[in-house]
Amino acid sequence: MVAVVLWGAALLLIHVPRLAGPTIPIALIGAVLLVILRRRRAGLVVLVLLCGAGLAATVAAAQPARDALTAQDGHVVEALVEVSSSASLGSDGRLWFDAQTIAIGPPGHPQRVAGPIRVGVAPIDGADLGAVLRVTGQGKRTDAGERAALVLFGTRAEVTAPASGAFAVAATTRAEFIQRASGLPEPGAGLLPGLAVGDTRAVSEEVSAAMLASGLSHLTAVSGANCAIVVAVVFWLVSLLGGGRALRVALSLLALGAFVVLVTPEPSVVRASVMAALAMLTLLIGRPSAGLAMLSLAVCGLLIADPWLAATPGFALSAAATAALLVLSRPLLRGLGRWMPVPLALALSVPLAAQLVCGPIVALFSETQSVVGVVANLLAAPAAPIATVIGLLACLTSPVPPLADLLAAAAWLPAAWIQTTATVSASLPGATAAVPAGPLAATVVAVISAAATLVLVRPRSRRLRLVAAAVVVIASAASVAGMLLRGPLASMTTPRAWTIAACDIGQGDAVLIRSGSQTALVDTGADPDALTGCLAQTGTDRIDLLVLSHFDLDHVGAATSLAGRVDTVLHGPVAEPADQRILDELAAGGAALRGGAVGTHGLLGSAEWRVVWPPPDSAAFPSGNDASIVVDIAGGGVPRMLMLGDLSAAPQRQLLASGRVGGEYAVVKVAHHGSRDQEPALYAQIAAPAALISVGEDNDYGHPRKETLIMLEAAGSRALRTDRRGLVLLGEQGGRLVVWTERQE
């Protein structure tokens, strides 16, 4: 109770820090009055008030430094920072880590300020826990409630003082282990450092997504299980050697501290280590372990010391999972034991308890829920502790290379099993359920989780059991129906007479064209899952012609997911090695590669297509948006259509002047998601009744722009936006253009 109230108070104070000052005297005065009045059962309230005062004092004390950091918003600054977390490689190519500022200010004149900051720099050696770096870059203030008061986008960084002492030993040991693991084969090599020491830099985006979809991502976040293993092993070894209780506890705590330094003090590690330390202390004084009391004490102490933990999803999930194991696992074991063998029920009760309690928290910030998580955890559970223990031993024995190599090889096998379990389970139809993140989704998931718990534990109230069973049946039926409609029956929800389909794949382009038995796909968008969903919904198994208009991520990011399913690839100019790698992967899957420029043409079923832009070997538009392949297609049941890629106004004017665009069009794919940079005369010339705009909801670019929508209306074109209408289908019936949309605008 105290921990829950304090958590809520922490969330309030870190989001509205000006309340911290007045809260301190109010809480203290209230506590003193209750003690003087000696109200019955006032002890709990007094404890809450005192903890609240301590919490407010922490927030108030930190606020001046945080204000000094947020004052650097938008400025180019020089900062001297001490790394306080492990570093991870972001999608922007920067190395990101948390740090404490020592000084910050204009370049050449930093002032002493000690506060939390998030730093992103170009990959640099030596950014280890405890190292001091000098970083120059642009600051950006964070939202209220964020632990880091400022984000620093570094343009230049240097290590001024490498990690020293225990931090240096830990960094060297961890780096040697990661290097050793990198020499092992995949699957499993990249995952092993994450399982053993929580370092996920070697985990690819595909594996990370699979771990998340299968509900196994917690295995790469060092938490209570890892701390418990370390403490138990040391405790057992000292006991085996004849050490007394005090020595066992002392050495276990020492080993736990060393482990925290080795894996870096992330929120879940801090929570778990504090829990383990409290457990050791209760053992030392001869008191029976009280799990919930220890958890509450750990949470309260950590929130008072660092109130910003309250807004950290990892800390919330860690505490919730621990509470679930303490409270729910045993009742679930009894309930499951009625229907299955006890060993199987024991293995299933632990991940199920964590899933039921953590699901509502995940729904607050994640748009997907793992449906296969319990089964995947059941399959991976036996391998996880083996990979963790042996991997940790391989890390610690780095000074003895032959032994470390042997242990790393032994740990690779369970790591490979876990990664295979993740990738296979995540690839199953309906492995995840899409839910809009937020309080509503969390409430729905909480109701379903509570109902499932009641069904399994069988409360005495028959009415309560019936209501819970009804909720579970309805939720299961809806889930199965959704899986079928998104999977085997997806195409049944789509009219069959379509010949043009604009996929709803977010901010990006993916347009299907079908004539007879052949299908073309123009661009793929960035999200493989969204593209796969569109292909399933339209009943598309194979792509006869894949057009990659240009190599921006929002047009080709999902292209490699089609490897092995494409016959011919028509592509725009190749500018970067990454562009060629995409083509090489498609070619390895059996696709024929063909460069596209003016004059390139062909057949798709009975439809004829031709490329009307870019000119061959254009010096003015060598690559990028303005060199997008523009395709004109018509016939074979396909309404005449012009797809403009991401052309800006200048090449649009040249295209219009070339005379290659003429006659009547039924459909135009608006350039660059409806950006403002358009040529009105081109759209007036086209005068297409339907204007497709492939665009994502709430994009940062403001697409489609209001000026573009007004221009389309003036040209007599009806804007069909995927962000508002979802999947947009077009076809011809009796010589008329017919439009179907997934949603009404």
Side-chain angles (χ1 to χ4, degrees), residues 110-193:
Q111 303 295 318
R112 295 192 68 85
V113 177
I117 189 173
R118 181 78 172 161
V119 182
V121 298
I124 182 174
D125 292 331
D128 301 311
L129 181 67
V132 177
L133 279 70
R134 188 180 302 277
V135 183
T136 302
Q138 185 171 28
K140 182 179 180 182
R141 68 181 302 164
T142 60
D143 295 332
E146 295 281 346
R147 167 183 281 167
L150 189 76
V151 176
L152 182 57
F153 295 87
T155 55
R156 187 170 67 252
E158 61 174 334
V159 178
T160 60
S164 59
F167 293 137
V169 173
T172 302
T173 303
R174 194 166 54 246
E176 289 178 355
F177 173 62
I178 294 169
Q179 181 64 32
R180 180 167 282 109
S182 67
L184 297 169
E186 291 289 355
L191 192 63
L192 181 55

Side-chain angles (χ1 to χ4, degrees), residues 490-499 514 537-538 727 729-730 733 738-742:
S491 60
M492 295 181 62
T493 64
T494 305
R496 296 185 178 183
W498 69 270
T499 53
R514 185 175 66 181
Q537 196 170 356
T538 54
L727 176 67
L729 304 172
L730 302 100
Q733 286 185 355
V738 180
V739 179
W740 300 272
T741 60
E742 190 174 20

Side-chain angles (χ1 to χ4, degrees), residues 553-570:
L553 179 66
D554 59 340
H555 289 256
V556 301
T560 54
S561 68
L562 299 174
R565 302 172 61 186
V566 177
D567 290 337
T568 302
V569 176
L570 182 70

Side-chain angles (χ1 to χ4, degrees), residues 498-505 508-515 518-528 530-536 538 540-550 554-563 565-572 586 603-604 609 629 631 633 641 643 669 694 727:
W498 69 270
T499 53
I500 299 171
C503 295
D504 180 17
I505 46 87
D509 274 7
V511 179
L512 286 161
I513 305 167
R514 185 175 66 181
S515 178
Q518 293 194 331
T519 303
L521 173 63
V522 181
D523 292 329
T524 67
D527 185 353
L531 178 63
T532 299
C534 181
L535 296 180
T538 54
T540 304
D541 296 321
R542 190 159 187 86
I543 306 298
D544 298 282
L545 175 66
L546 173 62
V547 180
L548 301 179
S549 65
H550 62 297
D554 59 340
H555 289 256
V556 301
T560 54
S561 68
L562 299 174
R565 302 172 61 186
V566 177
D567 290 337
T568 302
V569 176
L570 182 70
H571 62 86
L586 291 168
L603 294 175
L604 179 74
W609 59 266
I629 290 180
V631 177
I633 187 168
M641 180 182 184
M643 286 168 284
K669 201 289 295 182
S694 187
L727 176 67

